[in-house]
């Protein structure tokens, strides 16, 4: 078999891509994938993305070896050295997150990213997640393709076994690096690879294909649940807010527990946030049931769940902002960025004097256009439905010491349009 046959199922996507990147570790699977891509596309359209995990003494040597191989193949080589802090989520998980962050930083619109996961990897992943008690989404294991950053991620080797790839590499006289850490059974995946899967294969030699089929069936079920989750969100009036999104509590409470959990999981996924687990629904219930005058907050992963005016709000983490210390001059003619807060967009047709921008400290008053008298800013923010967690970080616009607008809420002066903002809290 010629190497390029490994990629014939995705040849139209490869031909249409601006650039084809291979996640290249120097190991068997990524090395054969790199050579197959070059055979099919030529070196000019192929690049290698290498991560030095910095966990082995030989890491720098491997990095240099990979660079030399790419140079000899005349393909672009980009690399990064991971700094793994191991802050409670485990080395494997943190390394995985950093890998994909590196990939996203290097992929632009129209690019493809190829990963060398094969049938053995799929079987190991399914078993690993099963032992950890994963649900349908987790047991669907490794997807064949998905969007990644601005590009598309593909795994063209998932139907191939490691033994097949090894035989192909030997026939093509391709050399690869064997990572000794793959033999360290203190890592769960390596334990499954070295001790669990071989035992299963002795009894059921075709189990890899069976597990591939199971993962595919579970992925179909997961896709159906995703579709149903969107229907549930629609039934709860899921809508985009100025920052994050929200849904109605009463409609949510009318659902059964399983449907509530699915809705929450789908809502987080819709916003690209993590933090959902088997306890999340119960913790969300505590937010709903908190005292009326409380300000309940559920933090999970990179997400926050809050309650206000009969709705639950999901959003990425609202970071601390020392708003009282911020006071900026603003021409009003171009956008202005407040770090850790927002970007205030240019005013429509403004040609007046320089304005100033600050935040609420208490005691401010103003009279929105169309009102007969002024009111306290605190009451106006409540009346206009501005959520409590954004009230102290919503920019106030001043001219000559007079409050003339509250960004994205109202204007108090016919001289300026309503200042629009884009939230940039993280």
């Amino acid at each position: 078999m010629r190497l390029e046959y490994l990629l014939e199922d995705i040849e139209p996507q490869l031909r249409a891509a601006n650039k084809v990147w291979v996640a290249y570790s120097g190991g068997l699977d990524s090395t054969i994938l790199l050579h197959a891509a070059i055979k099919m596309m030529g070196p000019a359209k192929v690049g290698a993305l290498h991560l030095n995990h910095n966990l082995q003494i030989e890491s720098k040597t491997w990095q240099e070896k990979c660079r030399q191989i790419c140079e000899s193949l005349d393909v672009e080589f980009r690399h990064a050295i991971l700094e793994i802090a191991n802050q409670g989520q485990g080395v494997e998980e943190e390394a995985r997150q950093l890998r994909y962050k590196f990939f996203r930083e290097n992929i632009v619109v129209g690019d493809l990213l190829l990963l060398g996961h094969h049938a053995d990897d799929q079987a190991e992943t399914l078993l690993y997640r099963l032992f950890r008690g994963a649900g349908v989404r987790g047991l669907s294991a490794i997807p064949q393709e998905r969007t990644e950053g601005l590009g598309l991620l593909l795994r063209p080797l998932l139907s191939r076994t490691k033994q097949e790839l090894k035989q192909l590499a030997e026939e093509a006289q391709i050399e690869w690096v064997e990572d000794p850490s793959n033999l360290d059974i203190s890592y769960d995946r390596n334990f499954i690879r070295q001790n669990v899967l071989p035992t299963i294969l002795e009894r059921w030699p075709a189990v890899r294909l069976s597990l591939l089929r199971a993962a595919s069936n579970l992925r179909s079920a997961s896709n159906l649940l995703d579709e149903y989750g969107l229907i549930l969100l629609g039934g709860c009036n899921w809508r985009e807010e100025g920052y994050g999104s929200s849904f109605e509590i009463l409609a949510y409470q009318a659902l059964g527990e399983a449907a509530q959990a699915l809705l929450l999981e789908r809502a987080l996924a819709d916003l690209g946030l993590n933090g959902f687990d088997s306890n999340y629904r119960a913790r969300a219930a505590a937010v709903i049931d908190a005292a009326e005058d409380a300000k309940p907050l559920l933090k999970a992963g990179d997400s926050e769940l809050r309650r206000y005016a009969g709705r639950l709000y999901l959003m990425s983490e609202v970071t601390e902002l020392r708003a009282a210390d911020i006071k900026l001059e603003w021409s009003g003619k171009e956008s202005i960025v407040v770090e850790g807060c927002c970007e205030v967009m240019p005013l429509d047709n403004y040609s007046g004097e320089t304005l100033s921008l600050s935040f609420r400290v208490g005691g401010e008053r103003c009279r929105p256009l169309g009102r007969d008298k002024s009111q306290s800013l605190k009451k106006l923010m409540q009346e206009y439905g501005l959520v409590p967690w954004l009230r102290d970080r919503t920019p106030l616009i001043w001219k000559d010491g007079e409050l003339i607008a509250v960004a994205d809420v109202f204007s108090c002066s016919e001289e300026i349009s309503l200042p629009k903002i884009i939230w940039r809290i993280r």
Side-chain angles (χ1 to χ4, degrees):
M1 179 189 291
R2 292 187 300 173
L3 290 180
E4 55 266 41
Y5 283 176
L6 293 171
L7 303 179
E8 62 180 358
D9 289 344
I10 63 167
E11 183 173 359
Q13 291 165 293
L14 294 172
R15 298 291 183 193
N18 292 330
K19 182 90 171 183
V20 177
W21 295 98
V22 175
Y24 178 51
S25 68
L28 169 64
D29 45 7
S30 66
T31 299
I32 201 167
L33 189 57
L34 181 65
H35 280 265
I38 294 170
K39 284 276 189 181
M40 177 173 282
M41 308 301 302
K45 198 173 181 179
V46 178
L49 299 176
H50 177 80
L51 269 297
N52 178 348
H53 289 75
N54 206 25
L55 296 173
Q56 304 288 331
I57 297 176
E58 301 92 342
S59 294
K60 289 185 178 179
T61 303
W62 296 339
Q63 175 186 311
E64 179 58 22
K65 178 67 173 177
C66 289
R67 187 197 65 77
Q68 291 174 358
I69 290 173
C70 288
E71 185 176 295
S72 69
L73 295 171
D74 200 25
V75 299
E76 183 178 356
F77 178 76
R78 296 182 186 177
H79 77 281
I81 300 174
L82 298 187
E83 298 294 337
I84 299 175
N86 193 16
Q87 297 178 337
Q89 57 188 330
V91 172
E92 292 175 273
E93 176 59 22
E94 185 176 350
R96 187 191 71 82
Q97 291 182 14
L98 290 172
R99 270 199 306 276
Y100 285 99
K101 181 176 182 292
F102 171 66
F103 295 152
R104 288 191 293 272
E105 290 171 347
N106 284 278
I107 299 172
V108 300
V109 175
D111 285 357
L112 287 182
L113 172 65
L114 305 185
L115 270 67
H117 295 103
H118 45 70
D120 296 58
D121 294 322
Q122 183 73 294
E124 292 162 11
T125 298
L126 180 53
L127 291 172
Y128 173 72
R129 293 181 180 176
L130 180 64
F131 297 155
R132 290 171 62 90
V136 172
R137 187 189 302 277
L139 293 177
S140 59
I142 306 172
Q144 186 103 27
E145 68 175 69
R146 71 159 192 258
T147 56
E148 186 62 56
L150 300 176
L152 179 67
L153 180 154
L154 297 174
R155 294 182 172 94
L157 306 181
L158 276 181
S159 62
R160 308 286 182 176
T161 67
K162 183 175 182 180
Q163 186 58 41
E164 288 180 82
L165 298 178
K166 186 175 182 181
Q167 182 177 341
L168 278 172
E170 289 172 346
E171 290 173 358
Q173 297 184 325
I174 294 172
E175 295 183 1
W176 67 89
V177 174
E178 290 287 0
D179 185 348
S181 69
N182 289 333
L183 301 176
D184 183 357
I185 60 173
S186 66
Y187 294 108
D188 291 339
R189 288 180 183 274
N190 289 347
F191 182 82
I192 292 171
R193 182 180 305 129
Q194 301 297 328
N195 294 355
V196 178
L197 192 56
T199 302
I200 295 174
L201 284 166
E202 285 182 12
R203 180 62 181 260
W204 297 285
V207 76
R208 293 185 188 90
L209 294 178
S210 299
L211 292 175
L212 276 174
R213 189 164 58 251
S216 177
N217 292 336
L218 287 161
R219 181 157 298 281
S220 295
S222 177
N223 291 339
L224 284 173
L225 286 173
D226 281 344
E227 292 177 14
Y228 183 50
L230 288 174
I231 293 172
L232 291 174
L233 283 170
C236 292
N237 190 21
W238 176 244
R239 73 186 185 202
E240 186 177 350
E241 303 289 349
Y243 184 68
S245 295
S246 74
F247 56 89
E248 292 178 0
I249 291 175
L250 286 178
Y252 168 81
Q253 289 179 308
L255 302 173
E257 291 185 0
Q260 288 179 353
L262 176 60
L263 180 149
L264 291 167
E265 182 181 17
R266 191 64 190 85
L268 285 165
D270 193 55
L271 295 172
L273 301 174
N274 59 52
F276 183 86
D277 59 22
S278 58
N279 297 318
Y280 192 88
R281 190 204 65 81
R283 296 169 69 193
V287 171
I288 294 173
D289 296 337
E292 190 66 30
D293 59 349
K295 296 179 180 179
L297 168 63
L298 166 55
K299 289 191 174 188
D302 60 356
S303 70
E304 292 187 354
L305 178 73
R306 299 173 185 263
R307 183 195 72 195
Y308 178 67
R311 301 185 71 86
L312 283 180
Y313 288 74
L314 266 169
M315 66 207 79
S316 57
E317 182 182 6
V318 179
T319 54
E320 183 180 358
L321 178 71
R322 297 180 61 86
D325 298 334
I326 299 174
K327 188 168 185 179
L328 304 172
E329 289 191 345
W330 181 40
S331 71
K333 300 170 187 175
E334 68 281 319
S335 64
I336 181 171
V337 175
V338 183
E339 292 296 333
C341 177
C342 62
E343 180 179 3
V344 185
M345 307 310 291
L347 299 172
D348 295 337
N349 304 314
Y350 182 72
S351 58
E353 300 174 9
T354 300
L355 306 169
S356 63
L357 183 154
S358 67
F359 295 85
R360 188 171 70 132
V361 295
E364 298 91 350
R365 297 182 66 87
C366 59
R367 182 174 63 84
L369 289 174
R371 298 289 183 95
D372 294 330
K373 59 182 180 179
S374 68
Q375 283 184 288
S376 72
L377 182 57
K378 179 179 180 180
K379 288 184 178 180
L380 286 169
M381 285 183 164
Q382 292 174 345
E383 181 183 337
Y384 278 84
L386 184 60
V387 293
W389 51 92
L390 296 182
R391 291 174 188 172
D392 288 341
R393 59 194 309 142
T394 297
L396 310 181
I397 315 302
W398 303 79
K399 181 178 180 182
D400 297 329
E402 179 183 357
L403 179 59
I404 61 172
V406 178
D408 240 15
V409 183
F410 55 77
S411 173
C412 303
S413 171
E414 294 181 353
E415 186 180 1
I416 71 168
S417 60
L418 174 65
K420 296 294 184 181
I421 60 175
I422 299 173
W423 291 105
R424 302 184 185 278
I425 289 176
R426 298 195 72 195

